[in-house]
Amino acid sequence: HVQLVESGGGSVQVGGSLRLSCAVSRYTYRTYCLAWFRQAPGKERERVAALDVDGRTYFADSVKGRFAISNDYAKKTLYLQMNSLKLEDTAMYYCAARSFCTHGACTDCGEGSHAIFDYWGQGTQVTVS
């Protein structure tokens, strides 16, 4: 079993920066993919960034060049560095994890919807104004 706990959300002005953290209880094959998702009111949950065990990263087009994802294995923490924040970045941000093969398919971490991620944190709110 994997437990994920996010922190670091808050309120920030347009153009500002925030760094989100996600404490990962342990690394197993179930954390092959680590990702950040976000969900704004009335919208579907979308993948913002993902990272696999080999260090490959994936970003949504809307955040490319502004966000960075990284993982510190020693600290067992996944990060999302968010720069040049925009109003549309306002959302609840979730940390998630899954195996490479899950729900009947084997897919790269940049593919598949939130539905194939098995482990989730409770979320941390980011508000840009």
Side-chain angles (χ1 to χ4, degrees):
H1 191 65
V2 176
Q3 292 181 319
L4 305 170
V5 179
E6 303 96 335
S7 61
S11 297
V12 63
Q13 291 186 334
V14 170
S17 298
L18 274 178
R19 188 177 76 162
L20 305 182
S21 299
C22 173
V24 182
S25 62
R26 60 190 192 128
Y27 295 103
T28 73
Y29 71 92
R30 295 185 175 92
T31 55
Y32 177 89
C33 295
L34 292 170
W36 288 96
F37 285 78
R38 66 185 180 188
Q39 188 167 21
K43 294 189 176 181
E44 290 192 4
R45 190 168 296 192
E46 64 168 342
R47 182 178 48 249
V48 174
L51 174 72
D52 70 20
V53 292
D54 295 319
R56 285 182 289 260
T57 58
Y58 307 84
F59 294 95
D61 288 342
S62 59
V63 305
K64 281 181 181 176
R66 299 190 298 122
F67 289 13
I69 186 171
S70 61
N71 192 27
D72 187 326
Y73 284 97
K75 295 182 178 179
K76 294 199 291 185
T77 302
L78 178 73
Y79 299 101
L80 183 68
Q81 178 66 45
M82 305 185 294
N83 300 323
S84 303
L85 283 162
K86 303 177 180 180
L87 293 174
E88 52 264 41
D89 294 319
T90 295
M92 184 71 80
Y93 283 72
Y94 299 90
C95 175
R98 68 169 174 87
S99 311
F100 177 59
C101 298
T102 186
H103 297 266
C106 300
T107 54
D108 289 338
C109 297
E111 300 176 6
S113 74
H114 63 86
I116 64 171
F117 278 76
D118 298 309
Y119 300 98
W120 293 87
Q122 81 289 350
T124 186
Q125 177 68 38
V126 172
T127 302
V128 184
S129 61

